[in-house]
Amino acid sequence: MTTGLTVGPTSVGTRWVRLRHLPVPLLAMAGVLVVGAAVAAPLRGLTGVAGVAVGVALVSVSYVLSTLAVAWADSVNPRLVLPVGLVTYVTKLLLLGLFVAALNATGWLGVAPMGLAIVAAALTWSAAQAGWTWHAKIPYVEIPPAEPATETTNNR
């Protein structure tokens, strides 16, 4: 009896299915960058715009790497998704905190716009991905193909 579930490496075509949501939040990141730069330019000048750009880039790279790690884990074994996701989350938060602390120690004036851009980008990415997920038609149960039926009904 087969369950219809596949565990282990899958074909390249099905791996891209795990990444099909990426264009939507990446497009949203472009919007955050444009709006953030438009707000930061008159308030902080080029330093503010650079801060916004760095913040949006950090969130974008961080979320894409997390997505790739979780997609890889799912392609190897679905039971790895939670541990890989948690390790990736903790690692990226630790690295982000260290980066921001080191940058703050330099006295760079773009740290505040960068921090605001990080918050705005993280919230926007989450909302964009949630919106995509709510509207996507994602089957949550794999139904194996039906076996040919044999008609032996002698229940009389």
Side-chain angles (χ1 to χ4, degrees):
M1 176 178 185
T2 62
T3 62
L5 298 175
T6 57
V7 176
T10 58
S11 70
V12 174
T14 55
R15 284 190 183 162
W16 291 112
V17 170
R18 293 177 181 91
L19 305 176
R20 67 181 181 214
H21 70 280
L22 281 179
V24 172
L26 286 173
L27 188 60
M29 292 298 96
V32 171
L33 181 60
V34 169
V35 170
V39 170
L43 298 175
R44 297 277 178 116
L46 289 178
T47 304
V49 173
V52 168
V54 169
V56 171
L58 283 172
V59 170
S60 299
V61 169
S62 166
Y63 278 50
V64 167
L65 290 177
S66 295
T67 299
L68 292 174
V70 170
W72 169 82
D74 188 37
S75 73
V76 172
N77 186 339
R79 293 180 182 180
L80 290 175
V81 169
L82 181 62
V84 167
L86 290 174
V87 167
T88 303
Y89 180 75
V90 169
T91 302
K92 75 179 184 179
L93 281 181
L94 179 66
L95 291 174
L96 180 64
L98 291 172
F99 177 77
V100 171
L103 199 57
N104 193 32
T106 66
W108 183 50
L109 297 177
V111 172
M114 181 186 70
L116 292 172
I118 287 172
V119 171
L123 292 173
T124 302
W125 183 291
S126 298
Q129 186 168 343
W132 182 91
T133 302
W134 288 326
H135 292 94
K137 294 180 180 179
I138 303 171
Y140 60 92
V141 176
E142 288 187 27
I143 300 173
E147 295 181 18
T150 57
E151 294 198 26
T152 56
T153 54
N154 290 332
N155 294 351
R156 295 184 191 193

